[in-house]
Amino acid sequence: MPNAASTRRNPVVDTRCGTAYASHCYNYGFAASSFRRAGGAHFPAGTCGTRHALVFYEGATTRASQHLFIAVDRGVPRAGPLRAAIGGARTVNAAVASALSDWMLVMLACIAAGYALAAALAMPSARAFSRARAARPPASPLGVSVLKPLCGAEPRLFENLATFCEQRHPCYQLLFGVSSPNDAAIGVVRRLQAVYPGRDIELVVDSRVHGKNLKVSNLINLAARAKHPLIVVADSDIAVEPGYLEAVTAPLDDPEVGIVTCLYHAESVGGFWTRVGALFVNEWFAPSVRLAHAGGSRRFGFGATLALRATTLELTGGFAALKDCLADDYWLAEHARVRGLETVLSEVVVATDVIEPDFASLWRRETRWLRTIRSINPAGFAFLFVTFTMPWVVLAALLAYGLAGHGAPVRVAVLAAAAVLGLLARLAVHARGARHISTFWRDLPLVPLRDGLLALQWLAAAFGSHVTWRGARVPIVARVAEGSDGS
């Protein structure tokens, strides 16, 4: 076997081809010291057009994109037109790959800008919110049992629950449930009973646990006390207008309707991080739901409000079918949908409080929401990155600046247009989500932070198999009742 030094000095000759070609070790990243250290192996020459003699050593590596050219290099002189052609092909390959990656980023930036524009157009104006509040649909003649699962004395709990005691509906029952006799929410309910003695208010203290979802266990215990043919489930941090019960139960007069649900507008209760959290709801979550609804989707259900007939609840297996589910509100509506009943998104928009006082608690809450989306719709979750507008605006602007003067005028123009359109659309979303001019200017500096934080939370939510809610650890893989097509 030739030693390393002779291999470096002399070309390997394939006598069957009758040609000599330079195959110096350094052409392929070989080093004499590496050859001696790893041990060499000389492979016999093959026939012409198949294999050439090649000195090989263990550990020699090349970039994946060079493998094709290395195969062609064998048998090509180090100088000459063929060698120049191979070098040119390498250059063209790199240029094509660079152009393709640039255009891919251009396309994604345009999609993000288009999404922001569509979201802005899908959001109702402040005047539309006022019309929805003023609407007074006729009251249903059927009585309503309102189920309110509680856990702890949240900020503004009394004020929020009091709005349910001031409804215009002629016949309704309020059921408030806790799982512990020491729950601080009990005092708030007792106060409501004292302030509104004419209302049918019942406190249910029941510690029975029926599954992994403790909120659903609470609902199972409350449902046993419901006495009216219509059921409304609403989260504890929701505040409503006096005509709320009339409006959300009116669509149930249609036998084809199974579930009525509501979107919500977030109000910050506290300082800086509660304002950031309110933007999550008002300027990302709610616009995405409205856009999906405008596109014909009805696959949603929100804990802010779920109104249904008691017969529908029984048909879907009751709350017991949801006892181990994450996203129980979504699955309750989904169980009705798979049985041919429609989901209606009410014009009513309720108010909800954002109370997380610091970054850590806000991060946990919002990553829990995103993991919940991942459990419901993995494919949709995977493409959420195009809905985070400001990172794409910044990326488009930086790419346009970097490509300027490098012979790519079309890409520069498209990127600049995407950046401007995305920025203007994002400002429109912020304006419609703020509702008031003072809120618009106050929270405008938070918009880049909000979108950047969303992108990081999306990355974090892509991992993990559980979420923690009210101290309970719940797996993100939902267990769905038999007969549903969810998984």
Side-chain angles (χ1 to χ4, degrees):
M1 177 181 294
N3 59 33
S6 65
T7 305
R8 291 183 58 192
R9 289 193 300 270
N10 302 318
V12 178
V13 179
D14 186 342
T15 56
R16 300 189 184 191
C17 291
T19 59
Y21 62 95
S23 180
H24 295 319
C25 292
Y26 280 130
N27 286 356
Y28 301 103
F30 291 85
S33 60
S34 299
F35 184 90
R36 286 193 294 269
R37 182 168 59 252
H42 189 280
F43 294 88
T47 59
C48 182
T50 56
R51 292 187 301 175
H52 294 286
L54 174 65
V55 176
F56 175 81
Y57 74 95
E58 182 182 358
T61 60
T62 59
R63 293 175 58 186
S65 61
Q66 295 174 333
H67 286 315
L68 175 62
F69 295 106
I70 287 175
V72 176
D73 275 347
R74 300 171 186 172
V76 179
R78 297 187 66 185
L82 188 54
R83 172 67 64 181
I86 292 175
R90 283 197 180 102
T91 303
V92 170
N93 181 60
V96 170
S98 177
L100 287 176
S101 63
D102 286 350
W103 276 112
M104 179 65 71
L105 290 174
V106 169
M107 180 183 69
L108 290 174
C110 291
I111 291 173
Y115 174 86
L117 178 61
L121 294 175
M123 292 182 68
S125 63
R127 183 176 298 177
F129 280 116
S130 298
R131 287 197 302 266
R133 285 197 300 266
R136 296 186 58 180
S140 169
L142 301 177
V144 183
S145 292
V146 180
L147 278 54
K148 301 281 287 187
L150 307 178
C151 183
E154 303 166 345
R156 293 170 46 89
L157 180 61
F158 176 84
E159 291 79 6
N160 291 334
L161 297 184
T163 63
F164 284 82
C165 299
E166 298 172 355
Q167 294 298 297
R168 291 194 297 256
H169 196 284
C171 180
Y172 68 97
Q173 169 195 25
L174 291 171
L175 291 167
F176 299 105
V178 296
S179 60
S180 169
N182 299 317
D183 196 301
I186 292 177
V188 176
V189 177
R190 297 297 187 202
R191 183 180 167 195
L192 285 172
Q193 289 173 323
V195 174
Y196 299 96
R199 289 298 181 198
D200 184 1
I201 301 174
E202 182 178 353
L203 172 66
V204 178
V205 182
D206 194 330
S207 60
R208 288 179 296 172
V209 175
H210 303 275
K212 294 180 179 180
N213 190 320
L214 300 183
K215 171 190 169 183
V216 173
S217 291
N218 202 342
L219 287 171
I220 292 172
N221 299 333
L222 287 173
R225 307 292 188 94
K227 59 187 179 182
H228 292 301
L230 301 183
I231 303 289
V232 171
V233 180
D235 287 341
S236 59
D237 58 352
I238 297 301
V240 296
E241 298 290 331
Y244 162 81
L245 279 182
E246 294 175 338
V248 299
T249 58
L252 295 175
D253 289 339
D254 183 350
E256 299 297 318
V257 174
I259 294 284
V260 181
T261 191
C262 292
L263 268 175
Y264 39 96
H265 186 272
E267 298 178 358
S268 60
V269 180
F272 177 83
W273 291 111
T274 63
R275 289 161 52 198
V276 175
L279 295 182
F280 178 97
V281 175
N282 300 337
E283 301 183 16
W284 181 74
F285 177 74
S288 67
V289 173
R290 291 195 178 278
L291 191 55
H293 183 263
S297 175
R298 299 296 183 269
R299 297 197 64 190
F300 43 70
F302 309 119
T305 292
L306 290 166
L308 69 165
R309 289 178 290 273
T311 53
T312 301
L313 182 62
E314 182 179 0
L315 177 67
T316 59
F319 292 117
L322 313 172
K323 60 187 176 64
D324 292 320
C325 290
L326 181 64
D328 51 274
D329 41 13
Y330 169 85
W331 287 115
L332 178 59
E334 182 69 7
H335 287 184
R337 283 190 289 271
V338 299
R339 287 164 174 82
L341 298 174
E342 298 177 7
T343 298
V344 171
L345 181 64
S346 175
E347 291 186 358
V348 174
V349 177
V350 300
T352 186
D353 293 336
V354 178
I355 61 174
E356 284 69 23
D358 52 44
F359 171 78
S361 58
L362 184 69
W363 177 275
R364 287 192 297 269
R365 182 195 191 203
E366 293 177 352
T367 52
R368 184 186 80 235
W369 280 19
L370 289 167
R371 284 196 180 106
T372 301
I373 294 173
R374 176 183 137 208
S375 75
I376 294 168
N377 185 5
F381 173 85
F383 288 96
L384 283 180
F385 63 90
V386 298
T387 68
F388 312 140
T389 307
M390 288 306 296
W392 287 108
V393 168
V394 173
L395 179 62
L398 291 176
L399 284 174
Y401 178 79
L403 289 173
H406 289 80
V410 176
R411 276 175 281 175
V412 170
V414 174
L415 284 167
V420 172
L421 177 62
L423 179 61
L424 293 176
R426 183 64 181 88
L427 291 176
V429 170
H430 179 60
R432 293 203 161 190
R435 296 192 185 177
H436 303 292
I437 189 66
S438 59
T439 308
F440 173 87
W441 290 111
R442 185 196 69 181
D443 292 340
L444 182 60
L446 302 181
V447 170
L449 170 65
R450 174 65 275 174
D451 288 6
L453 185 59
L454 257 171
L456 295 177
Q457 290 169 329
W458 173 74
L459 288 173
F463 306 94
S465 59
H466 292 75
V467 300
T468 301
W469 184 81
R470 301 235 188 228
R473 186 173 168 85
V474 183
I476 64 169
V477 179
R479 298 180 184 178
V480 186
E482 185 178 357
S484 170
D485 64 353
S487 60

